[in-house]
Amino acid sequence: MNWSFIIFSLVKIALAIGVLHAIAAYAVLVERKVSAWIQDRVGPNRAAPPFVKYIPVLGPMLTRWGIFQPLADGLKFMLKEDFTPAGVRKMYFWLAPALAVIPSLLVIAVIPFGSQMGNQKMVIADLNVGILYTFGIVSLGVYGIVLAGYAANSKYPFLGGIRSSAQMISYEISMGMSVIPVFLIAGNLNLSQIISWQTTHGWLVIYAPLSFIIFIVASFAETNRTPFDLPEAETELVGGYHTEYGSMKFALFFLAEYSNMVATSGMMVTLFFGGWTLPFWGLDQPAHSLGIGILQILIFLVKVCALMVLFIWVRWMFPRFRYDQLMDLGWRRFVPLALVNILITAVILWMKS
Amino acid sequence: MIVNRKALTFWEKLYLPAIIGGLKVTLRHAYNTLILKKVVTMEYPEQKWAVPADYRGAPYLVKDQDGNTKCVSCQLCEFVCPPKAIKIIPPGPAGQLADRSNAEKMPQAFEINMLRCIFCGFCQEVCPEEAIFLQKDYSLTGLTRAEMIYDKEKLLALGGTVGGVQKWKNKLEEAKEQETFPVKV
């Protein structure tokens, strides 16, 4: 423990959270734009600060892309009245949004988002039990939602909270078991080591495609995205667990959902798509110059964004599962499938050795 | 009626055909909007739809082809107006004369409260002088209520010119001709 470690860690934390928030904000924009394109619409193309229209070509173009929409959204959330309905359990009501956001921010601590810059590793905490930490934290995320549903003292949020507790706990099991083959193959729980294993052997998605499929489906369920968005099912439960929330508290739930998406995408990139590496141009080795270091961070971000687009695309493609179908899929399909996957991988590895 | 549901095949149970179908549909739509620009959205304030020929928009006062106000302040439209949006102040016995020949009077003030107006077209229907017409404007906006009460000048400026029969134009000549009775044939 020395000062430079603390300072560099704080800088990395600040940068990572800043970038995470920026991605989350712009993911909302991408969500709205992609949904618009899929539904033959235009999407947000008006919001702009007043001075932008005086910038010759760029200003109107950026406005049409909706670049300033997230700023307007954020400002709106900040300025709205922070309303607490009568009859809520105040302490839990206030605690719930924080409990939803914190785990989603904590997950990125162990994800290596770049190789190194100078002699600083581009990961906030290079834990040897990285993935265990992640699953421990991710499972805390459900408390925010359950508490929100409970504290609101209202029927729809309560139903949303119940649904989410059942759903997230169910899918956590298949999610956790789906990655065991990955660690069997790579032989390590440290995410940086898994990335370096992938540089020599190729991306793990080739070795464990079934794991990837189970993991991505489970992460849709974990982040409450369609087709598993039962906790917030707008058509059934008004708004689900966040029905009674408004202004910045609602924004925190929103932020939590998108941060969760970023974190799970980052996790998938790390586990299955080689993290910050690319298999050519020598980009799979830790950087020796600042430029390469930044390039590798960008590679990581591009991969994350690609997966985010997949998340968003899927949302506007599929209808919602019925509750029993969701449970059926989770417990009777994915859990056995994940178990078989572990078994087969283990047997193959045993025969090879 | 009982419809027996067909059992899903193994391939269908994998959800894969549905997923691929969904991918195809959404991709096609995204491609059509994004690349082929087949956007059906009309971006309203910049683009406006052409209203039909018999569209009933806001009622405005019109002038004839000589630039005269057609309205003679008969107050029939004020009387017929269902929401009482029209308010006319006639010139009165000693008031100002009409600004054209052969019309007895012209309105001293003519106001339409566009907040009350329901665009029914009764005023146009009842007007004996063809002086008020429902025109194509549908988007009337203002920041205050007072702003939405359109006075005579504003109504005339917005109304423009509608020609047609000039009922009173040759009345003087006709009257003079009446005096030399055997009308020239």
Side-chain angles (χ1 to χ4, degrees):
Chain A
M1 184 66 69
N2 53 31
W3 279 109
S4 76
F5 172 77
I6 292 172
I7 289 165
F8 276 114
S9 292
L10 283 177
V11 168
K12 280 188 282 190
I13 289 167
L15 282 180
I17 288 181
V19 171
L20 180 75
H21 281 192
I23 293 179
Y26 277 89
V28 178
L29 172 70
V30 174
E31 176 108 57
R32 292 173 69 177
K33 275 287 187 190
V34 168
S35 72
W37 295 331
I38 286 172
Q39 297 167 357
D40 300 344
R41 292 183 289 112
V42 185
N45 63 353
R46 294 303 160 101
F51 58 85
V52 166
K53 64 183 171 199
Y54 299 114
I55 305 169
V57 181
L58 202 62
M61 197 169 76
L62 292 179
T63 308
R64 279 203 69 77
W65 289 349
I67 296 295
F68 307 105
Q69 189 68 40
L71 302 178
D73 289 347
L75 198 67
K76 185 196 79 174
F77 278 131
M78 298 261 193
L79 294 179
K80 269 193 168 177
E81 185 190 357
D82 194 3
F83 186 75
T84 308
V88 300
R89 294 172 179 87
K90 278 238 172 64
M91 188 189 150
Y92 300 130
F93 189 79
W94 280 70
L95 198 61
L99 273 184
V101 172
I102 291 168
S104 61
L105 296 182
L106 285 178
V107 171
I108 55 164
V110 292
I111 297 173
F113 49 85
S115 56
Q116 56 188 27
M117 289 168 93
N119 52 5
Q120 283 295 320
K121 281 183 133 182
M122 284 294 110
V123 51
I124 294 166
D126 197 15
L127 293 184
N128 282 328
V129 289
I131 193 71
L132 291 181
Y133 165 86
T134 310
F135 281 108
I137 294 296
V138 162
S139 50
L140 290 179
V142 71
Y143 286 105
I145 291 171
V146 171
L147 258 189
Y150 169 72
N153 197 9
S154 162
K155 291 174 191 67
Y156 289 126
F158 190 60
L159 282 171
I162 290 175
R163 283 181 177 190
S164 117
S165 61
Q167 171 184 327
M168 291 180 87
I169 289 165
S170 313
Y171 276 84
E172 223 148 70
I173 294 167
S174 44
M175 193 181 197
M177 289 202 297
S178 74
V179 289
I180 291 176
V182 170
F183 301 115
L184 287 176
I185 295 165
N188 210 316
L189 283 178
N190 184 311
L191 294 173
S192 304
Q193 300 296 321
I194 286 169
I195 290 173
S196 65
W197 188 91
Q198 290 181 75
T199 57
T200 47
H201 296 82
W203 290 358
L204 270 162
V205 69
I206 305 161
Y207 294 90
L210 196 58
S211 290
F212 173 65
I213 289 167
I214 297 171
F215 191 89
I216 195 168
V217 174
S219 56
F220 283 132
E222 284 289 304
T223 49
N224 296 325
R225 301 282 298 178
T226 325
F228 307 108
D229 64 340
L230 287 122
E232 45 182 288
E234 292 90 348
T235 38
E236 302 161 31
L237 301 181
V238 189
Y241 59 88
H242 53 55
T243 306
E244 303 289 341
Y245 284 89
S247 81
M248 209 53 212
K249 289 212 270 307
F250 171 75
L252 283 180
F253 281 116
F254 223 63
L255 182 71
E257 181 183 331
Y258 283 91
S259 310
N260 265 327
M261 276 166 66
V262 179
T264 32
S265 299
M267 208 55 179
M268 274 189 280
V269 167
T270 310
L271 290 178
F272 297 105
F273 294 102
W276 41 264
T277 65
L278 274 185
F280 36 81
W281 298 330
L283 287 171
D284 53 353
Q285 294 309 314
H288 296 296
S289 66
L290 206 63
I292 302 288
I294 290 169
L295 186 65
Q296 282 171 335
I297 290 175
L298 287 181
I299 290 167
F300 176 78
L301 287 179
V302 165
K303 285 179 179 176
V304 167
C305 290
L307 278 173
M308 294 280 289
V309 169
L310 182 73
F311 267 81
I312 287 163
W313 184 12
V314 164
R315 173 163 178 196
W316 299 101
M317 186 156 53
F318 296 130
R320 187 178 301 128
F321 273 93
R322 209 170 57 205
Y323 191 67
D324 62 314
Q325 291 170 334
L326 174 93
M327 284 296 148
D328 183 70
L329 192 72
W331 286 101
R332 285 171 52 199
R333 307 286 156 80
F334 280 150
V335 170
L337 203 62
L339 283 170
V340 169
N341 192 20
I342 295 170
L343 194 70
I344 291 171
T345 317
V347 167
I348 290 171
L349 286 173
W350 176 54
M351 283 164 74
K352 269 189 182 170
S353 63
Chain B
M1 193 173 75
I2 296 167
V3 179
N4 287 320
R5 206 169 269 191
K6 264 197 290 181
L8 296 176
T9 60
F10 175 73
W11 176 240
E12 283 170 337
K13 272 185 193 161
L14 284 176
Y15 294 117
L16 281 175
I19 289 172
I20 293 164
L23 281 168
K24 274 190 338 208
V25 169
T26 47
L27 257 189
R28 190 180 68 231
H29 278 269
Y31 180 77
N32 281 347
T33 25
L34 198 60
I35 312 291
L36 301 184
K37 303 279 178 197
K38 283 188 194 165
V39 184
V40 291
T41 311
M42 192 180 64
E43 297 188 23
Y44 166 63
E46 290 90 22
Q47 309 169 347
K48 287 182 176 171
W49 53 86
V51 292
D54 52 352
Y55 184 82
R56 293 199 303 230
Y60 294 143
L61 290 177
V62 298
K63 292 176 174 172
D64 65 8
Q65 51 264 59
D66 298 335
N68 294 319
T69 309
K70 284 176 139 186
C71 178
V72 295
S73 184
C74 71
Q75 291 175 284
L76 273 176
C77 52
E78 186 180 17
F79 179 74
V80 80
C81 183
K84 300 197 188 304
I86 300 178
K87 182 181 162 197
I88 300 172
I89 299 173
Q96 196 193 350
L97 292 173
D99 59 357
R100 60 186 162 109
S101 56
N102 295 307
E104 283 180 23
K105 53 180 181 172
M106 59 186 272
Q108 192 185 329
F110 191 110
E111 284 176 354
I112 302 180
N113 187 343
M114 291 300 179
L115 293 169
R116 297 193 71 110
C117 178
I118 57 171
F119 300 180
C120 64
F122 281 10
C123 47
Q124 177 185 339
E125 196 106 339
V126 81
C127 185
E129 299 291 327
E130 298 185 342
I132 188 164
F133 280 94
L134 261 62
Q135 305 205 345
K136 306 290 180 218
D137 286 13
Y138 46 82
S139 172
L140 309 175
T141 52
L143 296 175
T144 57
R145 285 175 173 273
E147 211 177 305
M148 293 310 290
I149 299 172
Y150 286 20
D151 62 6
K152 193 171 93 176
E153 282 67 41
K154 191 167 184 183
L155 289 167
L156 281 167
L158 287 166
T161 304
V162 173
V165 185
Q166 285 177 296
K167 210 166 146 186
W168 302 100
K169 190 175 185 186
N170 299 317
K171 284 284 171 185
L172 190 62
E173 284 77 33
E174 281 170 23
K176 280 176 184 164
E177 279 165 8
Q178 288 288 321
E179 284 165 14
T180 58
F181 173 60
V183 181
K184 58 181 186 252
V185 182

